[in-house]
Amino acid sequence: MGDSRELSISRLIKASPETVWKIYTERTGEWFCPRPWTTPVVDWDLRVGGRANVELASPEGERHPYSGVFLEVVPGRRLVSTGAFTEGWVPQAGDMNFVRIDTFEPEAGGTRYTATARHWDEKAAETHKAMGFQQGWGAVADQLAVLAETEQATGETQ
């Protein structure tokens, strides 16, 4: 898109799109936020309009709940969500609402995983960038890659 409201990271993961999707959706709590933070709550209903709720926790016990909905679900290929609504299409205000787009494209015998945050305006994108978007989302993409590549190589869950 090349839009100043958009932030994005991308990784080539040495695992099939189906494996990356499986790890993304079934083992979300293991990779969804940068360590040493954890994701103790993953409450997803993977369908359009379904809830996309998570809770992040710091090592000190600070908790950050996030409620959202899925806007698009294409199994194995694309997942779009937002915190601008909660389940039942209830609008919710927030300075850091954006549309999250995760894609899983076959490439070079693996998967081109791309995570994009589309913000309502440039100010929100700049705020997210200043909060460490590249480092944070990059770290979780790396965590996702390690789990998916291990799953692909061994066929086992860690």
Side-chain angles (χ1 to χ4, degrees):
M1 187 164 141
D3 188 315
S4 59
R5 297 169 298 159
E6 184 173 290
L7 301 173
S8 186
I9 58 97
S10 183
R11 297 287 185 278
L12 181 59
I13 299 175
K14 296 175 192 158
S16 69
E18 294 73 23
T19 298
V20 179
W21 174 268
K22 177 183 174 186
I23 299 299
Y24 186 108
T25 59
E26 295 178 14
R27 295 175 61 190
T28 312
E30 295 177 53
W31 65 267
F32 196 74
C33 64
R35 291 182 188 102
W37 284 63
T38 60
T39 312
V41 175
V42 177
D43 182 18
W44 285 1
D45 180 6
L46 281 172
R47 62 180 178 82
V48 172
R51 76 191 156 278
N53 301 341
V54 294
E55 186 172 293
L56 312 180
S58 76
E60 299 77 32
E62 183 182 335
R63 306 288 277 224
H64 292 276
Y66 168 90
S67 299
V69 294
F70 289 106
L71 302 173
E72 183 179 5
V73 179
V74 181
R77 292 294 181 263
R78 184 174 168 92
L79 197 56
V80 181
S81 61
T82 186
F85 299 96
T86 60
E87 198 171 23
W89 302 111
V90 177
Q92 70 178 341
D95 294 339
M96 280 305 301
N97 281 336
F98 54 86
V99 174
R100 179 182 178 132
I101 304 164
D102 293 277
T103 58
F104 310 80
E105 295 298 326
E107 182 182 318
T111 302
R112 172 62 59 185
Y113 167 70
T114 303
T116 302
R118 286 189 183 157
H119 301 82
W120 301 153
D121 56 45
E122 284 183 36
K123 183 175 184 269
E126 284 302 316
T127 298
H128 201 179
K129 187 176 183 180
M131 289 172 63
F133 172 87
Q134 289 294 331
Q135 298 84 351
W137 284 40
V140 299
D142 292 342
Q143 291 168 184
L144 173 64
V146 167
L147 291 170
E149 289 172 358
T150 300
E151 170 85 6
Q152 186 78 39
T154 66
E156 297 176 8
T157 349
Q158 295 295 305

